[in-house]
Amino acid sequence: MRLWNPVARAFSYWQRHGVAATLHRAWLGLGRAVGGNGLVLFSCDLAMLPARKNGPTDGLEFERKTREAELNSRDREQIVNFWNPDVTGRQITERFGKEASLWLARADGQLAGYGWTLVGDTMEPHYVSLGREDVHLFDFLVFPDFRRRGINPTLVIHILEQLAGEGRKRAFIEAAEWNRAQLSSLRRTPFQKLGWARKGGLLGRERVVWAGQEL
Ligand SMILES: CC(C)(COP(=O)(O)OP(=O)(O)OC[C@H]1O[C@@H](n2cnc3c(N)ncnc32)[C@H](O)[C@@H]1OP(=O)(O)O)[C@@H](O)C(=O)NCCC(=O)NCCS
């Protein structure tokens, strides 16, 4: 069943995650609608990555998947069932098809969160043109039971270290300006704020405003 209808989508989400999580999600959606689609853009010079002060959090392990076949069915199911199985399943195939990597974080053996990276390109048009050795980090998620334990920043730092070890040059990530959780999380990583951007259509023309100036 295709769940494009927002009511059906909300109902499906409520069935899987309960009332509190659905209300939280609705609140975030409202914030997005009111706050607009502004993004805070971050970058990191991987050659200048500071040495890590602490080791990885106890009980936390990371895995990188570079092909869809490497993703076991249990992990795949947990990921696609979190929101819209149709959309997320299709995204997984498209992303691996473009040679993106999926990074998994496990806490005490359980899948706690994930994030994606793509080298030299972005899945959708971006505000910055990436060089061949630049990397875009996107679509990070920590499952609700594991949030606020620093798993997201630890995963991001792990990814940056791995990318630096591969000789990649710069990393980019963005967060919606309404997404306080992600903005707070990224402050605990080596990412530095690059600017602010907003994209939108006006009379059929796509307009991009970058750090207050139209591009
Ligand atoms: C953004 C996200 C990945 C952060 O993951 P995390 O591992 O919880 O990150 P942190 O432990 O660094 O926590 C970051 C902030 O999340 C917020 N937060 C997370 N869980 C929360 C909860 N249950 N209640 C209230 N605030 C919460 C807090 O503001 C926290 O910052 P603080 O500790 O300074 O108050 C996670 O909240 C998430 O998956 N959100 C939904 C998907 C998303 O927005 N992804 C990012 C855009 S791609």
Side-chain angles (χ1 to χ4, degrees), residues 66-211:
T66 55
R67 290 184 305 118
E68 191 163 1
E70 293 172 7
L71 187 60
N72 73 45
S73 55
R74 197 166 159 194
D75 291 340
R76 188 193 163 88
E77 216 168 287
Q78 185 176 335
I79 292 169
V80 301
N81 283 335
F82 184 70
W83 177 229
N84 183 324
D86 273 359
V87 172
T88 312
R90 204 164 45 242
Q91 284 174 340
I92 289 175
T93 303
E94 279 169 11
R95 291 169 183 183
F96 280 124
K98 271 196 90 170
E99 299 187 5
S101 289
L102 173 63
W103 303 75
L104 304 180
R106 287 193 202 283
D108 300 322
Q110 292 187 66
L111 181 59
Y114 65 84
W116 288 86
T117 57
L118 183 61
V119 177
D121 202 358
T122 52
M123 291 301 299
E124 290 171 8
H126 197 55
Y127 302 88
V128 177
S129 49
L130 269 68
R132 276 176 45 196
E133 296 299 339
D134 293 341
V135 189
H136 187 219
L137 282 72
F138 62 102
D139 194 8
F140 279 69
L141 184 130
V142 170
F143 293 102
D145 287 350
F146 297 94
R147 286 185 188 165
R148 220 170 187 171
R149 298 188 202 170
I151 291 178
N152 188 54
T154 312
L155 172 63
V156 169
I157 291 168
H158 170 79
I159 293 172
L160 294 176
E161 288 172 346
Q162 299 300 306
L163 296 172
E166 288 172 10
R168 307 297 180 192
K169 298 282 183 258
R170 298 177 301 172
F172 295 93
I173 196 168
E174 63 277 339
E177 60 185 353
W178 54 263
N179 195 340
R180 279 187 298 165
Q182 176 71 331
L183 291 169
S184 161
S185 203
L186 290 175
R187 274 199 289 276
R188 302 190 183 104
T189 74
F191 271 111
Q192 301 288 319
K193 192 168 161 186
L194 186 64
W196 173 94
R198 185 185 293 276
K199 219 193 279 189
L202 187 67
L203 301 175
R205 290 183 59 207
E206 184 87 342
R207 284 156 59 99
V208 172
V209 179
W210 162 263

Side-chain angles (χ1 to χ4, degrees), residues 9-29 32 81-83 142-145 147:
R9 268 201 334 229
F11 181 67
S12 161
Y13 191 83
W14 167 71
Q15 282 183 313
R16 289 198 302 273
H17 304 293
V19 177
T22 308
L23 288 175
H24 180 64
R25 180 130 200 147
W27 176 250
L28 288 181
R32 200 177 319 178
N81 283 335
F82 184 70
W83 177 229
V142 170
F143 293 102
D145 287 350
R147 286 185 188 165

Side-chain angles (χ1 to χ4, degrees), residues 39-54:
L39 289 175
V40 185
L41 308 178
F42 297 84
S43 71
C44 175
D45 181 346
L46 293 168
M48 306 294 286
L49 206 60
R52 190 203 283 249
K53 291 190 190 97
N54 307 306

